[in-house]
Amino acid sequence: MAELAGVSRPTVTAWERKETGFPSPRRSNGQDYFRWSEIMNWLSRRNVPPARLVDGEPLGTTYGDRARTRAGAGRIAVAASDRHPDGGASYRVPLGTVDEPHSESRRIVTDLMGGLVDRVRGAASVLDYMNLLLCLHYLRGADPTAFEALAARSRGLRNLDEAAKLLRDIGGAADEDMRGRGVHSSMQEALGHLEPRTARDLRNVLDGMGRLAENVFGLILDEYERQAALGGGEFFTPRSVVRLMTQLTCAAFGPGDPESVYDPYARDGGFLIEASAFCALGEDGLPRGKTPRTYGEARRSDTWRLATMNLLLHGVSPSLDLKRTVPWHDGLERTSQGTFDIVLTNPPFNMSDPGRGERPQGEWAYGAPPVDNDNFAWVQHCLAKLSKRGRAGIIMPNKAGNSAHRADRTIRGNLVERGCVECVIALPAQLFTGTAVPVSVWILRHPDDQWDRTLFLDARHMGEKKGSRRVLSAMDVESLLTAYRAHRSMGGDDSPFGATLTEGRIPSAWASREELRRSNYSLNPLDHIERRRDDVGGDHKYELVSAWERLNATEEHLRAVQDAVARAPFTGDRGETLPRAGRSAPRVDLGSVCEIQAGPSYSKLGKKQRTPDGRIPVVFPRHLKDSRVSDDGDERVTDETARQLRTFELRDKDIVCVRSGAITRPALVRQQQIGWLLSPNVIRLRVTERHASQVLPEYLFHYLCLDESVTWMRDRAAATAAPSLRSESLGSLQVPLPTLAEQREIVAALDSLDELDRAHRAAAVSARGTRTALASALLSPPDRP
């Protein structure tokens, strides 16, 4: 190892002793051996210090580059002139996603996503701040020289003007490097929104990023997701799930065999990264000399930028398109990249009950999906993009597996009859930050390579609690893969159909086509796997264990929120002193700091313009629930109608109030509702660009939620001939306007108590569920079927 890396033996010994995550040896015949692939992955994450580079090694060379060159595996150290090859090709062998970062890295990222967020972003969004972290992380991996120069400048910052220029230069450096790889980004513009409170705050950010010891892109995304609450449409896929699905779909090929990979909803690019890393190495762990063709699609510009940087950092050519429509729509947006050996995706779920009819448009090989629900549209699109030997891995809500809707049942039946469904795995609850929807992994195959039975695995009991989430360990993933391979290897004609087997304590079952027909083509594993009976609760064990786990998780989350409330401004002393912030502030008319826009007229957006086939949701008064805009999205318009009504679009941090009808508390728009439309019955408030540096939208939102503010709006609406809140009346509301620092403290205090309210309610729901499960286990007759 020392010879390959070009260092002394004591250096390797020091690495093994001091560096966490150093590969572990395997003992055989009295001798320790290390896996080549693990050593190469570990060395490839570490740049050779500039002072230790040898002739021909440019800045940015990793110990892995050097080792591959010395091993004679055909890997030549990258010359500086070749850093940006034509077509944006990757400049190193792809590396897989990191399962579990070092504890020190986790602590640093937690600090960076703590108090520094508000101190550096000012009136900008959390996303703009996170773009700063990811730009720095990207530059550190892609252009270490540029990063070191920027970090050195940060240590000498004297004022905010110099800080602003440094931010522009960081974004510019990231944009320039990505342009050299064929990617056009706009990070300089995004970082220009940031308003650091002091130059020292920005210096602390660069110092923290400089101390990170590994690739923590996924960890930064996790923290962003937790902070920004992206919601069910835009959560990222846990890396353990990414690894599991990749190896499940690649199991039929063998190492290095698949030649193309596709993700139609790429999120952070994790599937493309992991599949590329798996396919780039041969059975001996050495590079194959070529990497698979990759292609992905993103639906939002912010996640497109994140995924692009993530792909580049992991050595994957970022062939990633930004698409505004779903891939099965006709027209120019249609995917035209051919078919793929591997298709992996975590598409957005539609959990509302679908409309009764089937959608009239589109060509559907397995049956038209129901109106207002795209779950089986994604499934059919993935199958349509498979090569004849291909495999697809898709995350699906459990509800889709046994939905009683006629269209869903028809599609499932056609999938089964054509031999497309190879395996379905029920995953544990609470794996995802953005949704509590129970999900399964579906492994599908091309109908020309059909399979006449389906394997079901139940992994709901797996995983370890970490905060409010569950995390699949590397051992959990390996156990599932072992169970899948064991069942697959015995999947011949003499396999025991219907038998429930256990491999590594994973409940499982085969189901033949005939059995699936009798179950109304259910693809929910729980409808096929006989629950294990033992002397702790029999059939009730899973419900009770799951209920206690949910209660423990919600109580743990509640304690964490209570700790956060104790640290928030004005809340730590539990009211022992009366806060004075904002009480003597000057008052301004709401209309002087906000643009107030009433919704469109009914003639522009009435029943005639709304359609179940539309894609853009419309916000009505009934969608304002608990001071948030609900994600029901049950009223929609087409893209064309939305373009005509662009004036009435919603942006992040807009405030939506009821215009006509029962006046309730307003709602604050979140990122997943960007681009939604106002209905005629609501009104929008947006802080003007001129006052963006003086007024926080969240502060205005909390003021408008006061009982006296809601009463004031009700009185003004009732005073009109037809009860309605006019823009002019709302604009005359007097609002106290303290300093920006005081506004931030007020928002932090009230946000923390809102979160505490939600945590208490979640814990109460879990307590009631646990009581129900315990009562059923204690009181149900022992002979209940």
Side-chain angles (χ1 to χ4, degrees):
M1 287 167 51
E3 182 178 352
L4 284 170
V7 298
S8 65
R9 287 182 60 121
T11 297
V12 176
T13 303
W15 284 345
E16 184 176 21
R17 185 170 59 250
K18 296 179 181 179
E19 299 258 5
T20 59
F22 190 88
S24 300
R26 275 76 168 172
R27 195 159 188 83
S28 177
N29 295 326
Q31 178 68 46
D32 286 339
Y33 294 90
F34 291 83
R35 286 187 176 172
W36 172 271
S37 59
E38 293 179 356
I39 289 294
M40 299 308 293
N41 282 342
W42 195 86
L43 291 174
S44 295
R45 297 189 184 110
R46 284 152 182 80
N47 289 333
V48 180
R52 296 185 178 276
L53 292 170
V54 299
D55 290 343
E57 288 182 343
L59 286 171
T61 297
T62 68
Y63 282 111
D65 292 332
R66 178 183 288 176
R68 278 183 282 269
T69 301
R70 292 183 173 223
R75 173 64 176 174
I76 300 173
V78 182
S81 60
D82 295 330
R83 286 289 304 280
H84 299 162
D86 292 340
S90 77
Y91 57 97
R92 57 178 178 232
V93 172
L95 304 175
T97 55
V98 178
D99 275 331
E100 191 60 29
H102 298 167
S103 57
E104 177 65 10
S105 295
R106 185 175 292 280
R107 185 190 65 76
I108 293 171
V109 172
T110 300
D111 290 344
L112 288 168
M113 291 299 290
L116 280 172
V117 176
D118 290 334
R119 294 186 64 83
V120 173
R121 73 184 176 101
S125 68
V126 177
L127 175 61
D128 290 325
Y129 174 80
M130 195 193 67
N131 282 330
L132 169 62
L133 301 188
L134 296 180
C135 278
L136 291 170
H137 187 54
Y138 172 78
L139 287 171
R140 192 174 177 211
D143 194 345
T145 304
F147 175 85
E148 290 300 334
L150 293 165
R153 281 177 56 188
S154 75
R155 293 190 283 272
L157 290 177
R158 293 169 295 180
N159 53 55
L160 290 178
D161 287 339
E162 291 182 358
K165 186 176 188 311
L166 179 60
L167 284 169
R168 289 194 298 271
D169 291 347
I170 292 170
D175 286 341
E176 181 179 0
D177 190 274
M178 284 192 280
R179 274 196 299 272
R181 305 181 197 282
V183 177
H184 294 274
S185 186
S186 55
M187 285 299 176
Q188 187 174 49
E189 178 184 352
L191 269 54
H193 299 154
L194 298 173
E195 299 173 353
R197 196 175 297 181
T198 66
R200 181 180 178 181
D201 292 327
L202 181 57
R203 183 167 64 247
N204 289 340
V205 171
L206 273 85
D207 176 67
M209 295 302 298
R211 289 185 288 116
L212 289 172
E214 58 186 315
N215 186 350
V216 292
F217 204 101
L219 181 56
I220 296 173
L221 294 183
D222 286 346
E223 283 296 311
Y224 166 59
E225 194 176 5
R226 184 179 64 81
Q227 293 266 351
L230 286 176
E234 287 302 329
F235 53 84
F236 299 116
T237 310
R239 287 175 293 286
S240 56
V241 178
V242 169
R243 182 150 296 173
L244 170 67
M245 292 174 61
T246 300
Q247 296 197 36
L248 285 170
T249 53
C250 291
F253 293 89
D257 190 22
E259 297 181 353
S260 53
V261 183
Y262 170 52
D263 183 350
Y265 200 89
R267 298 184 187 267
D268 64 341
F271 284 119
L272 299 176
I273 291 167
E274 189 64 34
S276 294
F278 183 90
C279 299
L281 301 177
E283 293 184 4
D284 54 2
L286 295 173
R288 298 169 59 205
K290 68 174 183 177
T291 55
R293 173 174 64 97
T294 60
Y295 176 66
E297 296 169 3
R299 294 297 179 287
R300 282 172 40 171
S301 58
D302 51 0
T303 53
W304 175 85
R305 286 198 299 265
L306 303 182
T308 297
M309 284 196 294
N310 202 5
L311 290 164
L312 284 170
L313 275 178
H314 285 84
V316 180
S317 298
S319 180
L320 192 66
D321 284 344
L322 180 60
K323 298 291 186 72
R324 296 299 185 185
T325 65
V326 289
W328 52 85
H329 274 192
D330 292 331
L332 296 177
E333 294 284 350
R334 198 177 190 91
T335 303
S336 58
Q337 298 287 323
T339 59
F340 300 84
D341 292 339
I342 299 294
V343 177
L344 291 160
T345 195
N346 178 7
F349 304 148
N350 294 122
M351 286 309 299
S352 58
D353 288 329
R356 294 182 178 179
E358 299 174 359
R359 62 186 73 194
Q361 81 283 6
E363 297 179 2
W364 305 101
Y366 302 87
V371 174
D372 288 342
N373 193 299
D374 288 341
N375 292 331
F376 282 101
W378 286 105
V379 168
Q380 295 192 65
H381 174 70
C382 290
L383 282 170
K385 301 307 296 179
L386 277 184
S387 66
K388 290 188 177 182
R389 64 173 189 161
R391 295 292 186 274
I394 310 173
I395 294 178
M396 290 285 284
N398 285 355
K399 183 177 180 179
N402 55 8
S403 163
H405 191 281
R406 180 172 59 85
D408 286 351
R409 190 169 61 248
T410 298
I411 296 170
R412 290 198 309 267
N414 288 329
L415 292 173
V416 169
E417 295 297 340
R418 296 181 64 179
C420 297
V421 187
E422 180 174 310
C423 180
V424 181
I425 304 174
L427 294 180
Q430 299 171 313
L431 281 178
F432 298 85
T433 298
T435 180
V437 173
V439 300
S440 297
V441 171
W442 291 21
I443 304 300
L444 307 176
R445 53 201 294 148
H446 193 280
D448 286 358
D449 183 24
Q450 62 178 265
W451 195 250
D452 60 1
R453 66 209 67 188
T454 299
L455 173 64
F456 294 96
L457 299 175
D458 182 4
R460 291 177 303 150
H461 60 290
M462 304 184 80
E464 175 188 358
K465 280 194 311 176
K466 293 192 176 180
S468 61
R469 294 174 60 180
R470 295 192 74 82
V471 176
L472 288 175
S473 68
M475 187 171 294
D476 291 331
V477 171
E478 190 59 37
S479 295
L480 280 166
L481 290 169
T482 299
Y484 170 77
R485 293 185 188 114
H487 285 293
R488 195 172 181 277
S489 66
M490 57 176 290
D493 294 336
D494 56 349
S495 296
F497 287 124
T500 298
L501 308 173
T502 299
E503 175 66 39
R505 298 185 60 80
I506 299 175
S508 53
W510 284 105
S512 65
R513 285 182 185 169
E514 182 55 38
E515 288 170 320
L516 291 172
R517 291 183 192 119
R518 290 198 298 267
S519 70
N520 270 330
Y521 295 106
S522 170
L523 295 178
N524 189 324
L526 309 187
D527 289 338
H528 301 282
I529 297 174
E530 179 182 340
R531 292 175 177 173
R532 290 176 296 171
R533 299 175 180 270
D534 51 35
D535 41 12
V536 187
D539 278 345
H540 303 290
K541 177 180 177 180
Y542 285 95
E543 288 83 353
L544 188 55
V545 169
S546 180
W548 279 116
E549 288 176 348
R550 285 193 296 270
L551 179 59
N552 290 337
T554 55
E555 288 179 336
E556 187 175 335
H557 176 64
L558 175 59
R559 287 191 291 271
V561 174
Q562 288 172 328
D563 291 342
V565 170
R567 297 191 301 270
F570 312 124
T571 61
D573 59 6
R574 292 278 174 166
E576 293 180 9
T577 58
L578 181 65
R580 308 301 304 173
R583 295 173 65 85
S584 59
R587 301 179 76 86
V588 299
D589 287 345
L590 186 62
S592 68
V593 296
C594 283
E595 300 171 0
I596 302 178
Q597 174 65 62
S601 65
Y602 191 79
S603 62
K604 291 182 178 179
L605 186 53
K607 287 185 177 179
K608 183 173 64 175
Q609 284 79 19
R610 303 197 297 273
T611 169
D613 297 328
R615 194 177 64 88
I616 308 299
V618 181
V619 178
F620 282 80
R622 68 176 181 274
H623 297 135
L624 308 189
K625 302 174 183 177
D626 277 341
S627 301
R628 293 185 172 192
V629 178
S630 75
D631 291 331
D632 295 346
D634 54 349
E635 298 282 357
R636 295 172 179 265
V637 297
T638 64
D639 288 4
E640 179 59 31
T641 300
R643 279 192 290 271
Q644 296 172 3
L645 299 174
R646 190 165 295 166
T647 304
F648 306 100
E649 281 184 345
L650 292 176
R651 296 181 189 169
D652 188 30
K653 304 295 177 59
D654 282 350
I655 301 169
V656 181
C657 302
V658 176
R659 178 187 182 191
S660 58
I663 303 296
T664 60
R665 283 186 173 83
L668 189 67
V669 173
R670 293 170 290 165
Q671 287 188 341
Q672 64 264 35
Q673 290 132 12
I674 294 174
W676 291 21
L677 293 180
L678 300 171
S679 73
N681 306 98
V682 296
I683 194 167
R684 181 191 70 204
L685 287 80
R686 178 179 296 161
V687 175
T688 63
E689 292 185 9
R690 177 184 172 190
H691 294 92
S693 61
Q694 304 165 4
V695 184
L696 291 181
E698 300 95 326
Y699 169 78
L700 293 182
F701 163 70
H702 284 299
Y703 187 82
L704 291 171
C705 285
L706 287 172
D707 288 344
E708 50 262 43
S709 299
V710 175
T711 300
W712 185 94
M713 288 187 282
R714 285 173 181 162
D715 291 343
R716 297 310 184 277
T720 60
S724 178
L725 184 61
R726 300 174 62 231
S727 300
E728 295 81 1
S729 298
L730 186 57
S732 67
L733 174 63
Q734 291 268 300
V735 179
L737 197 63
T739 65
L740 200 62
E742 288 178 307
Q743 291 179 47
R744 289 196 184 97
E745 290 182 329
I746 292 169
V747 169
L750 298 179
D751 280 351
S752 69
L753 288 176
D754 284 343
E755 182 64 24
L756 182 63
D757 175 38
R758 287 190 287 270
H760 272 296
R761 283 186 282 169
V765 170
S766 294
R768 287 194 294 272
T770 305
R771 191 266 179 200
T772 300
L774 181 60
S776 180
L778 293 173
L779 303 175
S780 294
D783 58 347
R784 190 185 72 164

